[in-house]
Every structure is written in structure tokens, then in C-alpha cells.
Amino acid sequence: MSTSAAATGALGADAAPPSGPALAAGRPGGPAAAGPGHLAADPAVTAALTAGLGPDAKDLRGLSPFSSLAEVLAVLDLAGDATPPLPVRCLPSAHGGVLGAQLLAQQIVLAERLAPGRTTQTMHTVFPNPGRFDAPVDVDVEWLQAGRTYATLALTFRQDGRPISRGDVLLGAHERDFVRHEPARPDGWSGPDAAAPVDHPMLPWEVRVAPGPSPYGLDLWQRIPDAPADPALARALVAFTSEPLLVPRVTTAHADRGAVSLAPDQRLSAAILAQTITFAEEVDAREWHLVRIDSPHAGNGRVLGRGEVYRADGRLCAVFECVGMLRALAPKRAT
């Protein structure tokens, strides 16, 4: 279970949506997150779209903002010439866990460093156990296949010998088109100029948001002008952004309608169980690109999310899908 933005939740344990019960932060069974994060944009609806908060909410709780892009790039500074198990660094988190967004990005960079000349085609990651950002994390590498065109790696991130994530990564060399088709520009396309600028605590770069394709969706435009001209890092940063948006948006959309089934003294905890991302075309992180998320289904303690990434010219670059878990936490004990 990834202790990610979804796991921390968009709302802290002491925050309550305007029409629903409190949504708690922290990994399932773990403590609620603490620590403020603030959305600098002034329209309340912008805060709601970005963080999944209710229209009257002002603060994004449970997430501590990263200070800069450099902090994110530092944990992605990985080499493929070391002998496994490979040590990796972690971003800090207010809830104490290892961020799922970070693990996804590290898996892409490490896989492409280990298999030079090939790029990530698709990656499926599961998060079986939580971890702590302030404890050592190592990566085991298993080569499942390596040929002239394709290579397949299994990257298992461990802490104290216990797996906290495993990514199966299929990489491939560039090939020419034999056939080609691609989708038209998606419905509701508005472009970054029509979206509202925001400060997102997990995305320390230019971010703008607009309503998504459904009440449970979100259109997030981003560009990272200071990102290195490295295609592997561009893919990693796209994967990083794809992870923290879904569950807060879905849970709060339901909470705003009073449709979260919780006892009055319970809190809702969330975690990402698995995520898959597939790349179709190159994306330049330094230019505007759209990350569109939506959820076709939520129920049985699960949230299913889907998303696409488009360049500003409307070309589809990537698709992703994730499965989130929801649990009710017992009331906090009085101190």
C-alpha cells in the first residue's frame, strides 16, 4: 500500500468537507497525518479541483510541500552501473510514509539506466506494504528478459527486508511505424491558458487545473521549465504526477454530496494498491502537457482510476490506471 498523496489523503484528520464526514490521512491502520499544506490560489473552486477539497476548504492538510524541483530530482539521481541491492533516497512526507509517486518515478529512471538504449513501454507496480521515508530503502533487480529490442525487469523496493513496492517494467528500443492511429483531441479541451494556476504541495512547478470529464475527474496542466532535457526523467515526472490526484478527488466529490458512508466519529483512510502506466509517445516535461484523470467506478472499498497524458498539441503520450483502497479508521483516542 503506497503511502502517497492518496494515502495521506487531501484532508487531515481534523478537517471536514462541507457536506460529509471527516477524511483522515495516513496509511490504513496507521496514524493520521499532520502538518499543513496551503493552496495559494484564491478561488475556492480551484482548491477543490486541485486537492479534492470541498468548495469551502482553504487548506490542504496532510501533505508537506517539497521545497523545489531539485529535491524531487535528487531522489531520481540513480545510476545503472551499481551492484544490487541499490540504495535509494526518499522524499520527506508529513505522514512519515514513502510516497508512491516517488517510487513510480524511481522505477522508471532506474529501469532505463539499467537498460540503456531502451525506453519504458509499460510498467505495472504494486504496493504490498507501507514504509517509512526516514529508514533505508534498497532495490533488488531481477532481469526477466533481455533481447535486441525488448527488456523486462522486476524492481523490488525493500525496507528491513520487506517489499514496499514491486514494479514490472517492459522496455523497448525505438521502431518505425508499421501502422498508426491515435485519438483526436479529447472532449472538453481548454488548454493551459484557460486553467487556473495553483500551488500544489506535491508538484513544485507550474500547475494549472480545470474541471475534468466527470464530477470525479480533474484536468491538470503542468510544465516544468527547469527539468533536465532527459526523456527518462520526463517520463518519471509524468508518472510522479499521475499518482497523487485520484483518491482525494473522488472521496471529496462524494463527501461534498454527503455520500460517504461513515459513522460520525470515523475517519476515511486511503492508499494506492496498484498502478499501471503505459507510454505511447515522447513527452517533454518542460512544455505544457495535460494530465487528465477520471474514475469510472468506486465501491466495495475500492476506487478505480484512469488517466491520459496529452501534449499541448493534442497528441496522446501516456495512459495510466490505478486501484485505490478505502478503509474506515476507528475514532482517535482522547489524549
Side-chain angles (χ1 to χ4, degrees), residues 14 16 28 42 54 63 91 96 99 106 111 114 124-125 146 160 170 178 185 192 196 208 233 240 280 301 312 322:
D14 298 323
D42 55 359
L63 297 174
L91 290 164
L99 295 170
Q106 287 175 324
L114 289 166
H124 178 68
T125 300
D160 297 326
L170 173 65
F178 296 98
R185 181 177 292 184
R208 301 181 181 184
L233 285 174
F240 186 98
C322 66

Side-chain angles (χ1 to χ4, degrees), residues 13 23 45 52 58 83 89 98 109 115 126 138 182 198 209 240 250 273 289 292 296 330:
L23 302 179
V45 68
K58 302 297 184 185
T83 301
R89 290 176 285 181
V98 179
V109 172
V126 294
D138 296 312
E182 49 193 314
V198 297
V209 295
F240 186 98
V250 170
L273 298 176
H289 51 284
R292 168 172 280 194

Side-chain angles (χ1 to χ4, degrees), residues 71-113:
E71 191 174 357
V72 178
L73 294 178
V75 302
L76 300 181
D77 185 12
L78 302 168
D81 56 357
T83 301
L86 309 172
V88 297
R89 290 176 285 181
C90 293
L91 290 164
S93 66
H95 53 80
V98 179
L99 295 170
Q102 168 206 304
L103 295 172
L104 292 173
Q106 287 175 324
Q107 287 166 354
I108 288 175
V109 172
L110 183 56
E112 296 197 21
R113 301 293 190 248

Side-chain angles (χ1 to χ4, degrees), residues 4-17 21-26 33-39 47-54 57-64 95 200-202 218 243-253 255-256 268-271 326:
S4 60
T8 63
L11 298 177
D14 298 323
L23 302 179
H38 184 67
L39 289 168
L49 289 170
T50 306
L53 302 182
K58 302 297 184 185
D59 293 325
L60 181 63
R61 300 179 183 271
L63 297 174
S64 59
H95 53 80
H200 193 289
M202 276 195 64
L218 172 72
E243 196 268 353
L245 304 175
L246 173 76
V247 174
R249 181 75 207 109
V250 170
T251 53
T252 308
D256 288 343
L268 191 63
S269 176
L326 302 177

Side-chain angles (χ1 to χ4, degrees), residues 88-221:
V88 297
R89 290 176 285 181
C90 293
L91 290 164
S93 66
H95 53 80
V98 179
L99 295 170
Q102 168 206 304
L103 295 172
L104 292 173
Q106 287 175 324
Q107 287 166 354
I108 288 175
V109 172
L110 183 56
E112 296 197 21
R113 301 293 190 248
L114 289 166
R118 301 176 179 89
T119 63
T120 303
Q121 305 295 301
T122 189
M123 179 177 75
H124 178 68
T125 300
V126 294
F127 303 98
N129 294 293
R132 291 199 58 83
F133 81 85
D134 55 357
V137 176
D138 296 312
V139 187
D140 289 333
V141 179
E142 181 183 0
W143 286 88
L144 304 180
Q145 174 269 338
R148 289 178 297 177
T149 303
Y150 292 103
T152 308
L153 296 172
L155 302 175
T156 303
F157 286 58
R158 299 182 186 274
Q159 193 168 77
D160 297 326
R162 186 171 70 162
I164 61 173
S165 78
R166 174 185 164 114
D168 291 338
V169 191
L170 173 65
L171 304 105
H174 177 73
E175 294 201 278
R176 67 179 180 88
D177 289 343
F178 296 98
V179 297
R180 173 173 280 273
H181 70 268
E182 49 193 314
R185 181 177 292 184
D187 294 338
W189 182 279
S190 58
D193 291 341
V198 297
D199 286 334
H200 193 289
M202 276 195 64
L203 308 176
W205 42 76
E206 290 187 73
V207 174
R208 301 181 181 184
V209 295
S214 82
Y216 312 110
L218 172 72
D219 278 4
L220 184 144
W221 287 91

Side-chain angles (χ1 to χ4, degrees), residues 1 16 46 58 66 99 131 147 186 233 249 259 266 277 284 312 317 331:
M1 294 163 283
T46 299
K58 302 297 184 185
F66 304 127
L99 295 170
L233 285 174
R249 181 75 207 109
Q266 287 182 323
I277 185 164
D284 188 342
C317 297

